[in-house]
Amino acid sequence: MEKHWKSVIPRSICDYFFDVQRKVSSKDDIPPVIATPHHYLISIYRCQLYFVAVVMTEVSPLFVTEFLHRVVETFIDYFSECTESILKEHYVIVYELLDEMLDNGFPLATESNVLKELIKPPNILRTIANTVTGKSNVSDTLPTGQLSNVPWRRTGVKYTNNEAYFDVIEEVDAIIDRNGATVFAEIQGYVDCCVKLTGMPDLTLSFMNPRLLDDVSFHPCVRFKRWEAERVLSFVPPDGNFRLMSYHIGSQGIVAIPLYIKHNISFREGSAGRMELQVGPKQTMGKHVENVVLEMMMPKCVLNVSLNPSQGKYTFDPHSKTMSWEVGKVEPGKTPSLKGSVS
């Protein structure tokens, strides 16, 4: 599937990407930016698909990468998942979305609320009606908020029950010694929201210790000047689901991991070994830690693992050598364990 904007670029430009793909042993080894004599190929890998952008002039790679991620997230929002078969099934809507998200090569409408007013999400009844009448999913009128100073929120929003949910999701990268003590740790966090409020609400969100937050990235609705002055998030939220901010807490900050991990691994290359992991709550003030997923990179010489979890389930990818243990909820006083052999 391909989409052109300013000019038609021959498909043979992708041969540079395919050549690099054939030379590497893992998808992670493909460089995100590939320079060709006249173009730059910027790519991401998500949902077992490659998304490649071809640019003719020098541009910030992170800008293009972020747009590609936004395209994938829009597809997931519209179709619930982003797979090859799903994209082929909704070929027309995919092209309509790309037309609206990029105008003459420049990002235009990337907000889910705006796009859903322009292009209606697919359903069975709408598909049948469009087939019979010959109409498309594209609206004839501009979104109501497109010309306002808050284009991410449509006007006239009304709810019987007003509610707002905030989920703080944190990914902890850590090195832990065999006694369970933390050697190194850093956190990549996200604040995902589901806001269903009537009218034009103005919300304020504050943190206990905002100085710990580093490398923050905000949704356009956040008033950045107030954050710089007071370290407080002030915003008029979009309607529905959106990511309010992402942040990073580096190793120089005091990273208090809510879990402790004890491990006992005995393994020699060329022979089988044993592995035992234990996970328990720590510094949670009596609260449950939910949706815990533990990922562990195995040495390249490991071919298979046979493990027995006391809670949850595990998977092992022999290609990436990654063992993933979905622990689930870790309650105070309980220590889920994972034991077995490694070969």
Side-chain angles (χ1 to χ4, degrees):
M1 181 181 290
E2 60 186 82
K3 172 69 176 159
H4 302 269
W5 279 274
K6 286 187 176 181
S7 60
V8 177
I9 298 173
R11 188 178 291 184
S12 58
I13 192 67
C14 295
D15 292 341
Y16 291 99
F17 180 82
F18 297 141
D19 290 340
V20 173
Q21 186 183 15
R22 282 192 292 267
K23 291 176 182 177
V24 300
S25 57
S26 170
K27 61 182 181 297
D28 298 325
D29 297 331
I30 297 178
V33 181
I34 301 172
T36 71
H38 303 289
H39 304 85
Y40 293 97
L41 306 182
I42 302 174
S43 65
I44 64 170
Y45 181 80
R46 285 188 60 178
C47 307
Q48 299 182 333
L49 294 171
Y50 289 101
F51 296 84
V52 184
V54 182
V55 294
M56 302 179 66
T57 57
E58 194 166 328
V59 66
S60 172
L62 289 178
F63 175 71
V64 181
T65 302
E66 176 64 24
F67 177 77
L68 291 175
H69 282 293
R70 189 66 63 90
V71 168
V72 177
E73 288 161 7
T74 301
F75 290 162
I76 294 173
D77 190 26
Y78 263 75
F79 313 130
S80 300
E81 56 182 340
C82 181
T83 62
E84 183 180 355
S85 59
I86 288 292
L87 295 183
K88 286 181 177 178
E89 183 181 343
H90 300 96
Y91 226 82
V92 175
I93 297 179
V94 168
Y95 275 97
E96 290 172 347
L97 286 170
L98 292 176
D99 266 332
E100 297 297 337
M101 295 183 75
L102 215 62
D103 181 32
N104 198 33
F106 295 95
L108 179 63
T110 57
E111 277 297 322
S112 177
N113 291 321
V114 175
L115 287 170
K116 285 182 178 178
E117 283 196 66
L118 283 168
I119 303 165
K120 302 299 182 185
N123 59 43
I124 296 176
L125 292 177
R126 190 173 291 119
T127 302
I128 295 173
N130 290 344
T131 304
V132 174
T133 60
K135 294 183 179 179
S136 69
N137 289 326
V138 182
S139 174
D140 295 329
T141 58
L142 278 174
T144 53
Q146 187 75 5
L147 302 177
S148 71
N149 59 351
V150 282
W152 52 83
R153 185 174 180 85
R154 59 192 176 94
T155 58
V157 180
K158 292 184 180 179
Y159 287 102
T160 305
N161 296 320
N162 291 290
E163 52 190 9
Y165 300 97
F166 296 85
D167 290 331
V168 180
I169 303 164
E170 294 190 335
E171 299 174 2
V172 183
D173 292 325
I175 298 174
I176 300 174
D177 64 17
R178 65 183 303 162
N179 298 319
T182 304
V183 179
F184 169 86
E186 61 180 10
I187 295 174
Q188 184 67 39
Y190 313 93
V191 179
D192 288 340
C193 309
C194 178
V195 177
K196 297 180 179 180
L197 299 175
T198 301
M200 197 69 68
D202 200 324
L203 306 183
T204 301
L205 180 67
S206 59
F207 297 92
M208 292 288 291
N209 194 355
R211 293 183 183 88
L212 288 177
L213 304 180
D214 184 25
D215 193 20
V216 290
S217 174
F218 297 116
H219 188 276
C221 68
V222 175
R223 298 182 179 97
F224 188 64
K225 287 186 177 179
R226 186 169 179 187
W227 167 259
E228 284 188 316
E230 306 174 30
R231 294 294 172 179
V232 169
L233 291 183
S234 174
F235 57 99
V236 176
D239 181 46
N241 299 304
F242 67 100
R243 175 158 291 175
L244 179 64
M245 67 176 293
S246 63
Y247 60 88
H248 177 263
I249 299 178
S251 56
Q252 70 276 7
I254 303 172
V255 178
I257 300 178
L259 300 169
Y260 70 83
I261 302 172
K262 292 184 178 179
H263 55 86
N264 186 9
I265 301 172
S266 59
F267 177 74
R268 289 183 179 179
E269 189 173 347
S271 62
R274 297 285 300 174
M275 183 178 76
E276 180 179 350
L277 296 177
Q278 275 190 341
V279 180
K282 180 180 70 173
Q283 299 175 351
T284 60
M285 296 177 289
K287 297 179 181 178
H288 300 302
V289 183
E290 300 180 348
N291 301 327
V292 176
V293 179
L294 184 67
E295 289 189 355
M296 181 177 176
M297 298 296 297
M298 295 291 188
K300 291 185 178 180
C301 56
V302 173
L303 300 177
N304 195 17
V305 297
S306 179
L307 305 172
N308 182 27
S310 64
Q311 178 178 321
K313 60 181 180 179
Y314 81 94
T315 57
F316 176 69
D317 186 352
H319 297 289
S320 62
K321 308 296 182 183
T322 303
M323 190 279 295
S324 179
W325 179 22
E326 297 181 12
V327 184
K329 181 187 290 186
V330 179
E331 299 180 2
K334 292 187 177 181
T335 55
S337 62
L338 182 69
K339 303 178 182 179
S341 60
V342 180
S343 59

